[in-house]
Amino acid sequence: MKILVTGGLGFIGSHTVVELAKENNEIIILDNLYNSKIEVLDKLEKITGKKFKFYKYDLLNKEDVEKVFEENEIDSVIHFAGYKAVGESVEKPLMYYSNNLMSTLNLLNIMKKYNVKKFIFSSSATVYGNKETGICIETMGRGETSNPYGTTKSMIEKILEDLYASDNTWNITILRYFNPVGAHESGLIGEEPNGIPNNLMPYIMKVASGKLEVLSIFGDDYPTPDGTGIRDYIHVVDLAKGHVKALENMKQGLNYYNLGSGKGISVLEMVKTFEKVNNVKVNYKIVERRAGDLAECYADPSKALRELNWKTEKSLEDICRDAWNFEKNN
């Protein structure tokens, strides 16, 4: 199968390329390198022992993207490309709406022109909004998103629903991720956010390695066992395997799946496990809650198990060990 992976040198995209390559798929990578590095391509080839066709193109340039479809008989598309920093999206909403929406629309229009109608979209649990209940189930539908990044994910889901309503020959799978963390066991690829990290695990690693002074934990007075917020952390390799399963089990229609462990981990539990597994100290302080943060949020992943035969396999200890191994190697 010939698969186009947009954003294929990014954190989740690169790990998915590795897992797709294990199944002997032919992979074409498109990435504008805005939030990724060209060195990742060499690392992917080192891990897999395979060469990949790579296009340094931007999805906003329709002519370039069309060349990819002209030159390759693409069977399906996995769409990771997009801006993804929550804080930056609040500061630069127009940039996020312009990029994330227009790039997706360009891609879908070109897919339609070339009759490529198998599409997997990289969505997010943020589309559930601030639900009062901790557990998220696909049947809940979307809620009120709290930042422009999340709103672009929600809007693209709606675009895909309208597209399918207009033409039911499309096979569209929407994967809603929870909190991707960890790194490949080789230590060659992992998460490398630009600037100061937004997310917990990259921040822990920067503090553990001495690049940042202290981790701020936002609130210890939530109604949770240790008072800190609970989230569903999923090893990026498990997440990548979810895309392979989604491709293998793609069925007619428009389908949504949560990709999460189904188990909530508190911020303090993550910090303590990281310290224990890696024998390293993480300096932290408790600060006030952030507005809009929920006490807990985790997946019901039973639909993905039932229909895709997918579930997480890696433990919290694996997550902490692999993340730190990548940080030390890089």
Side-chain angles (χ1 to χ4, degrees), residues 14-30:
S14 60
H15 287 81
T16 302
V17 167
V18 170
E19 298 306 317
L20 289 168
K22 287 181 184 174
E23 305 302 318
N24 292 320
N25 293 294
E26 190 175 335
I27 300 148
I28 297 134
I29 300 171
L30 184 152

Side-chain angles (χ1 to χ4, degrees), residues 232-247:
D232 188 334
Y233 296 96
I234 172 174
H235 196 297
V236 66
V237 172
D238 279 334
L239 183 59
K241 289 176 178 175
H243 293 76
V244 178
K245 290 289 191 184
L247 200 60

